[in-house]
């Protein structure tokens, strides 16, 4: 049988400089000012958290191990579960930060056998 | 106050007899109607049955070939309606003999009721006048003089009597539309009330005024005025009881025809069952499509095939287990795989296609025929007097080109006995006169219309019987079912009460309509 888990992961992304901007290489969706029912990645459709909606190939986020559908819980210690979309964007794109450390929650299917073997 | 005492007989709305029009009859399929009788709006159903007349056709040779075999448009369906034709002719005789018996009794009872009501009405009307005049006649010299006041009272009595007369004429002097089985309860009650009322007034008058020869003439006149006032109030009561109370709809009735399931809904107020039946029948003639026995033969033949499929043999012994046999038959029929549904499906699809094709041909033929006719304006009428035709001749001129297509279409939809050639020609000239388009002309033939549209011979439904478990003078209640039967089919009527509606209000401030955007934006970082 398969179980649906969510486990947390810490991801460190080193921003890439492109011209005048520092980019991370992914897109976010969600926020307390957005409509949570339209979020395709959330399990609970009232969840207004920030989710990763796209990860550009070969970008810093992909290299760091960020996956599409991850929910971002913290950025550099700042909470991201109750922020607006714009606030989230701002926290990720601070000009003086080259590294962002994210705490993300990911859901995955694991086999029960594997789980019992691991624990 | 006529039409009050209604008689006990079956509802035969359109078969009112008068004695002088009965002729010897022979068995046959046609019946010829005589023109209207003297007593007004009832047409007679006379008993003459003639052989199909050979009508002179148009002078057009082309049409003769087509119409030759179709002298009577109604005569081509013997093969299809075999059984019903036989039963009709037998039932005709039963119907006719029953009518013969009923007609004599019917007239007497109805006229008796009418005369009683008329006599009572006249008596009531003349009573105030009698009250005023009798003292003058009998003891004129002893009466106190009573100048202006009495004259004023005379004028008021005169006008009130006039108003009462007009009101009674408006309300009660109507042609009876129908014969119903039982007396109208409210009308009977009102008549009894009026009778008692007038009787008590006369009693009082006789004892206190005539016997004692009262000399106070003003008092007598005022007594007469009070009678007239009271009569006006009774008239008001009559309006409320007989007319107003049943206007507000309280029940919805569903009427289903037993042969083909056609159904309609009507709204009725507080009526007795017999009056509700009357309303339903009046609407039946207008709303339901005409009953066509030719359309039922398909399902009858299917039913016959189902029954003929299985036979039961009792192998085990002499025991006669009838119910066991029938159960075994039904079980076997259910288990057997028959493909009659397949047959039905393909037959219906085929029929649809055929009807549509014939309809298309008909429409084209009629449109083409109509293009040959052109209306002459007034100026043109003087210029070419030779070729002018009146509508009838114009119709006869263009009829042959569409006759065949029309005849085929009517045959396919099994309506041909409802339209004779004469009626089609009449309709055509009517349409030409009124500048109707081909589509308007065809409207009558493309779909079967209500019963009223057709000739009375084809109605199959003139004598009705009300079958009901409750008394027919009792009022409508929720859940009552009654049946209106005529010889060939019946109408099942189901009464339902209109539900009690709870309506509450809610106020919405126009300023309270506010909206917000719901987005799901995606930002790349």
């Amino acid at each position: 049988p398969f179980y649906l888990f969510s486990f947390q992961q810490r991801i460190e992304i080193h921003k890439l400089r492109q011209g005048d901007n520092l980019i991370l290489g992914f897109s976010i969706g969600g926020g307390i000012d957005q409509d949570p029912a339209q979020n395709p990645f959330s399990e609970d459709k009232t969840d207004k958290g920030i989710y990763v909606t796209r990860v550009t190939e070969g970008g810093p986020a992909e290299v760091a191990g960020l996956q599409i559908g991850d929910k971002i819980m913290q950025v550099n210690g700042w909470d991201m579960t109750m922020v607006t979309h714009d606030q989230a964007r701002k926290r990720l794109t601070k000009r003086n930060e080259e590294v962002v450390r994210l705490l993300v929650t990911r859901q995955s299917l694991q086999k029960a056998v594997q789980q019992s073997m691991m624990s | 106050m006529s039409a009050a005492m209604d008689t006990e007989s079956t509802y035969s709305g359109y078969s009112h007899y008068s004695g002088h029009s009965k002729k010897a009859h022979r068995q046959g399929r046609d019946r010829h109607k005589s023109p209207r009788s003297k007593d007004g709006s009832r047409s007679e159903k006379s008993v003459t049955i003639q052989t199909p007349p050979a009508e002179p056709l148009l002078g057009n040779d082309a049409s003769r070939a087509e119409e030759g075999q179709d002298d009577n448009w109604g005569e081509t369906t013997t093969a299809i309606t075999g059984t019903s034709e036989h039963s009709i002719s037998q039932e005709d005789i039963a119907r006719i003999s029953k009518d013969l018996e009923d007609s004599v009794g019917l007239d007497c009872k109805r006229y008796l009721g009418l005369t009683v009501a008329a006599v009572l009405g006249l008596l009531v009307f003349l009573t105030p006048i009698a009250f005023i005049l009798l003292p003058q006649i009998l003891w004129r010299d002893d009466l106190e003089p009573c100048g202006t006041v009495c004259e004023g009272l005379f004028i008021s009595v005169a006008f009130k009597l006039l108003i009462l007369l007009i009101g009674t004429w408006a309300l009660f002097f109507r042609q009876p539309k129908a014969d119903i089985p039982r007396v109208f309860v409210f009308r009977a009650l009102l008549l009894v009330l009026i009778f008692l009322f007038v009787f008590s007034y006369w009693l009082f008058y006789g004892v206190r005024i005539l016997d004692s020869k009262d000399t106070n003439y003003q008092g007598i006149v005022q007594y007469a005025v009070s009678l007239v006032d009271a009569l006006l109030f009774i008239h008001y009561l009559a309006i409320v009881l007989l007319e107003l109370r049943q206007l507000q709809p309280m029940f919805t009735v569903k009427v289903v025809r037993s042969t083909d399931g056609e159904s309609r809904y009507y709204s009725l107020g507080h009526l007795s069952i017999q009056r509700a039946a009357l309303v339903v029948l009046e609407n039946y003639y207008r709303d339901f499509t005409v009953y066509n026995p030719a359309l039922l033969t398909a399902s009858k033949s299917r039913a016959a095939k189902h029954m003929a499929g299985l036979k039961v043999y009792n192998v085990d012994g002499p025991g006669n287990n009838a119910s066991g046999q029938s159960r075994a038959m039904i079980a076997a029929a259910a288990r057997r795989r028959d493909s009659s549904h397949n047959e039905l499906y393909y037959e219906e699809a085929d029929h649809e296609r055929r009807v549509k094709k014939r309809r298309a041909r008909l429409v084209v033929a009629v449109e083409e025929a109509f293009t040959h006719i052109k209306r002459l304006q007034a100026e043109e009428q003087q210029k070419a007097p030779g070729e002018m035709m009146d509508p009838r001749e114009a119709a006869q001129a263009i009829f042959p080109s569409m006759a065949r297509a029309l005849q085929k279409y009517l045959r396919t939809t099994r309506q041909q006995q409802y339209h004779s050639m004469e009626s089609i020609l009449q309709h055509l000239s009517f349409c030409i006169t009124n500048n109707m388009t081909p589509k308007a002309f065809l409207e009558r033939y493309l779909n079967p219309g209500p019963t009223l549209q057709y000739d009375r011979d084809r109605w199959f439904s003139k004598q009705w019987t009300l079958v009901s478990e409750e008394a027919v003078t009792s009022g409508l209640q929720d859940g009552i079912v009654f049946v209106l039967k005529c010889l060939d089919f019946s109408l099942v009527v189901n009464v339902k009460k209109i539900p009690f509606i709870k309506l509450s209000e809610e106020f919405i401030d126009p300023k309270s309509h506010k909206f917000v955007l719901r987005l799901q934006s995606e930002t790349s970082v």
Side-chain angles (χ1 to χ4, degrees), chain A residues 25-28 34-35 53-54 85, chain B residues 517-525:
Chain A
F26 66 98
S27 300
I28 53 166
Q34 306 284 312
D35 180 11
T53 54
R54 229 178 334 131
H85 190 83
Chain B
L517 276 181
R518 301 181 70 88
L519 303 168
Q520 183 68 13
S521 32
E522 195 185 354
T523 321
S524 58
V525 293

Side-chain angles (χ1 to χ4, degrees), chain B residues 56-68 395-401:
Chain B
L57 301 175
L58 317 173
N60 195 342
D61 281 339
S63 69
R64 196 178 280 272
E66 293 155 13
E67 261 88 74
Q396 281 172 340
I398 61 172
F399 179 64
S401 57

Side-chain angles (χ1 to χ4, degrees), chain B residues 86-154:
Chain B
H86 286 309
S87 58
I88 282 176
S89 49
Q90 293 215 348
E91 281 158 352
D92 270 353
I93 299 179
R95 231 186 295 179
I96 289 163
S97 54
K98 186 158 160 276
D99 283 345
L100 279 172
E101 292 166 344
D102 277 347
S103 64
V104 178
L106 186 147
D107 285 357
C108 276
K109 282 186 201 168
R110 208 198 314 167
Y111 285 137
L112 183 69
L114 288 179
T115 39
V116 164
V119 162
L120 188 63
L122 202 62
L123 191 71
V124 164
F125 189 72
L126 292 177
T127 301
I129 303 176
F131 283 1
I132 296 178
L133 289 180
L134 277 177
Q136 295 274 359
I137 297 169
L138 292 178
W139 62 93
R140 195 195 193 105
D141 312 316
D142 300 331
L143 285 178
E144 288 166 18
C146 150
T148 345
V149 180
C150 275
E151 281 159 21
L153 289 175
F154 287 155

